[in-house]
Amino acid sequence: AQSVTQPDIHITVSEGASLELRCNYSYGATPYLFWYVQSPGQGLQLLLKYFSGDTLVQGIKGFEAEFKRSQSSFNLRKPSVHWSDAAEYFCAVAPSGGYQKVTFGTGTKLQVIP
Amino acid sequence: NAGVMQNPRHLVRRRGQEARLRCSPMKGHSHVYWYRQLPEEGLKFMVYLQKENIIDESGMPKERFSAEFPKEGPSILRIQQVVRGDSAAYFCASSPPVEGRSDGYTFGSGTRLTVV
């Protein structure tokens, strides 16, 4: 069965600093990978997704993620964090074919301080 | 070009009552997924439906919970005889009928159920 681990429950960064959120997955083959962001009281918004090809994926809001097969990781990065990036971030995995069930990690809450 | 519409946004029910949560997928989307988010937890899969078919309900509690996606109208998640532990945010997502690839879901804003 597929699973996702986000080892950091909370992260605090200063505005303007760089950010990296960790994600590790477990799946028998190369899965489809996603990052979503959730603002308080809101639904989830897709930041970026990886299906195949270039392992560095660009997303919205200046985010990027890198797929590393050898480490089973799909870490999310941003070079300079803005206060509006404070939210909860979810990594997710889905099978690479057929049925589209998506499994989510438990999330990382990002706090941005001035 | 509305997104996934969920209503109500907030729902308060007394223990023992029924809760009905509605989800209208994006135009052109025929696959609907329901997830539950408990406080301080991630999203847990509940059920995957296509029009008039339940494809995967492996995440649904065995009792009191049911879901449908009729030929016409929204998808409904029904919780009978609610208990305090049912208090959570329930999210619906939809996707187009693309076989062999998951484009990622489009989520609704959720229904926050509070059982008092």
Side-chain angles (χ1 to χ4, degrees):
Chain A
Q2 62 201 34
S3 66
V4 179
T5 301
Q6 293 181 248
D8 303 307
I9 299 174
H10 290 97
I11 282 186
T12 299
V13 300
S14 298
E15 190 168 14
S18 63
L19 171 70
E20 182 168 29
L21 302 182
R22 296 184 290 165
C23 172
N24 292 94
Y25 68 89
S26 174
Y27 184 64
T30 299
Y32 296 149
L33 295 159
F34 309 88
W35 275 99
Y36 286 84
V37 61
Q38 184 182 31
S39 297
Q42 300 298 313
L44 279 75
Q45 181 182 23
L46 182 65
L47 283 176
L48 47 79
K49 57 193 176 188
Y50 172 79
F51 292 149
S52 63
D54 191 348
T55 56
L56 186 60
V57 180
Q58 301 298 319
I60 63 172
K61 304 184 180 186
F63 286 91
E64 65 178 27
E66 185 172 12
F67 169 59
K68 293 185 177 180
R69 184 192 309 273
S70 61
Q71 299 176 19
S72 297
S73 70
F74 189 57
N75 294 349
L76 182 72
R77 301 194 294 250
K78 187 170 184 178
S80 178
V81 171
H82 188 263
W83 64 266
S84 61
D85 293 324
E88 190 159 16
Y89 293 79
F90 292 94
C91 183
V93 61
S96 55
Y99 170 34
Q100 301 181 24
K101 178 178 176 179
V102 176
T103 299
F104 288 84
T106 51
T108 298
K109 286 186 178 177
L110 173 64
Q111 181 182 10
V112 180
I113 57 176
Chain B
N1 193 21
V4 178
M5 304 301 294
Q6 288 189 252
N7 66 81
R9 289 292 303 273
H10 300 274
L11 181 61
V12 179
R13 284 288 178 266
R14 297 187 183 277
R15 282 180 296 170
Q17 291 184 319
E18 178 179 281
R20 290 168 62 93
L21 288 63
R22 296 175 184 77
C23 169
S24 296
M26 279 188 69
K27 187 177 180 179
H29 286 192
S30 57
H31 297 197
V32 166
Y33 313 81
W34 286 93
Y35 283 77
R36 178 165 62 176
Q37 185 177 34
L38 293 167
E40 306 302 319
E41 294 188 19
L43 277 78
K44 301 296 184 184
F45 169 80
M46 298 183 75
V47 62
Y48 162 41
L49 310 106
Q50 296 178 16
K51 286 282 187 181
E52 299 183 283
N53 280 304
I54 297 175
I55 307 302
D56 181 350
E57 56 181 349
S58 58
M60 289 278 273
K62 298 302 181 186
E63 298 179 348
R64 303 188 296 107
F65 284 72
S66 62
E68 63 177 8
F69 189 17
K71 187 176 180 180
E72 301 290 338
S75 174
I76 306 289
L77 179 67
R78 183 181 292 109
I79 311 172
Q80 296 177 305
Q81 299 175 327
V82 297
V83 300
R84 289 246 171 88
D86 297 332
S87 296
Y90 292 83
F91 289 97
C92 170
S94 72
S95 68
V98 177
E99 291 300 327
R101 192 181 82 175
S102 180
D103 279 336
Y105 300 157
T106 301
F107 275 90
S109 297
T111 293
R112 281 146 186 86
L113 172 66
T114 302
V115 179
V116 298

